[in-house]
Amino acid sequence: MDLLSSGRVRRVRRYAWLVAVGAVLAWPTTASAHSTAPTVALDFHLRISPATRALLGVRVDLVDGNRGLRLRVDPQETLIVRGDLGEPVVRFDSKGVWVNTHSVTAAADKLVKPSSSVSGVAWSLRTHGHTLRWHEHRLAPPVSMRRGVTGRWSVPILLNGSLRSVDGTFVRVAPPRWWLWGAGALALAAAIVVVAWRVPRSQPHLVLVLGALAAVGALASASSFALADEISGASEWVEVAAVGLLVGLAAFAIARRREGWRVWIGAAIGIVCATFSLGAIGVFAHGYVISTLPANLARISVLLAVVAGGATTALAITAEFDSERARAARAARLPTQPPPRPRARTR
């Protein structure tokens, strides 16, 4: 095996490990919709009604990608959440939050384990605090609902003995034109290929530019998803920290002006940004994006992170192979030095 082939094998192995690490890190974000992965896009937009927000001593929030309900009740108030069968499910009072272990609805919402008894009330203290968050199945809108139609969701409650409700509306949002976003991604990738092919000497600078675009897109999208939903966005902050660390390493590599470091860190930035952002690819299939950024701006951020990140990785590996080929060519052109002649012995 010659020098060039052995160098290629070593670098293929190194980058294979790098790709594997990036895929493992991004696995939680690419999990299915039924996992604990953060939800960044939905077909429905849920809102809380003004009457619910006006309840005295009660604060209601939609969390966990609009799949969960969180109630904060003042200690001086007594609030009971009622279930599908009208049974008490959760009680807030001055001592804390209690859960009815005999409630079918509490078992369906995974607040308690299923009980063989469905009659009577058996309160179990859940927390001494005055806040509870749980997965509320009554927030799920009907799948057959048409686009643009507004429906209502409601959770009945007893507030200080008065029958009230925590309610709101949901509307089915039209999905984006995914084929337009796909065409935009292909156009961006084609432009990168043309520039890299027509101007080969620009590849090192192109790696830096694309790495910066990928990092900006990944940081913007992950931060906006994390800020929009504090519960499901917990793992998003891990992505923000990982990309931020790589950007800091890239700045350090540029300051040191070491070409090898730039290539490796460029590849790392591309892999991490692209693989992490694949978990948010659903923004191109669903109409409502759970983000602090406008929906289309969030989609642009994800697109930049995926396309520019993948291109950065490919160009970094190509640049490394080209430099290895150039070193091998220079070594082949060097004249071989003849072995030194032995000195004649003097008598």
Side-chain angles (χ1 to χ4, degrees), residues 125-285:
L125 183 63
R126 182 65 178 264
T127 176
H128 289 287
H130 302 280
T131 301
L132 184 66
R133 172 179 62 89
W134 70 94
H135 176 82
E136 179 54 69
H137 67 277
R138 285 171 286 191
L139 295 178
V143 180
S144 59
M145 187 174 178
R146 293 179 300 174
R147 298 172 187 171
V149 177
T150 301
R152 295 193 63 83
W153 59 268
S154 179
V155 177
I157 63 172
L158 286 173
L159 181 58
N160 297 324
S162 300
L163 182 60
R164 303 288 183 86
S165 66
V166 172
D167 54 24
T169 59
F170 46 73
V171 59
R172 190 180 185 94
V173 183
R177 297 180 179 178
W178 61 268
W179 55 272
L180 281 179
W181 292 98
L186 290 176
L188 178 59
I192 295 171
V193 170
V194 169
V195 173
W197 178 61
R198 296 294 297 271
V199 191
R201 295 182 179 180
S202 67
Q203 288 189 12
H205 301 287
L206 192 59
V207 168
L208 296 178
V209 173
L210 292 176
L213 287 176
V216 169
L219 284 172
S221 59
S223 300
S224 66
F225 297 146
L227 291 172
D229 194 339
E230 62 191 71
I231 301 300
S232 66
S235 64
E236 297 288 344
W237 289 114
V238 177
E239 300 179 17
V240 174
V243 177
L245 177 61
L246 288 176
V247 170
L249 290 176
F252 177 74
I254 294 173
R256 294 294 298 271
R257 297 182 180 180
R258 297 188 64 173
E259 190 69 25
W261 286 21
R262 294 183 185 181
V263 171
W264 267 89
I265 294 176
I269 289 177
I271 289 173
V272 172
C273 291
T275 52
F276 274 163
S277 298
L278 283 176
I281 206 73
V283 297
F284 302 108

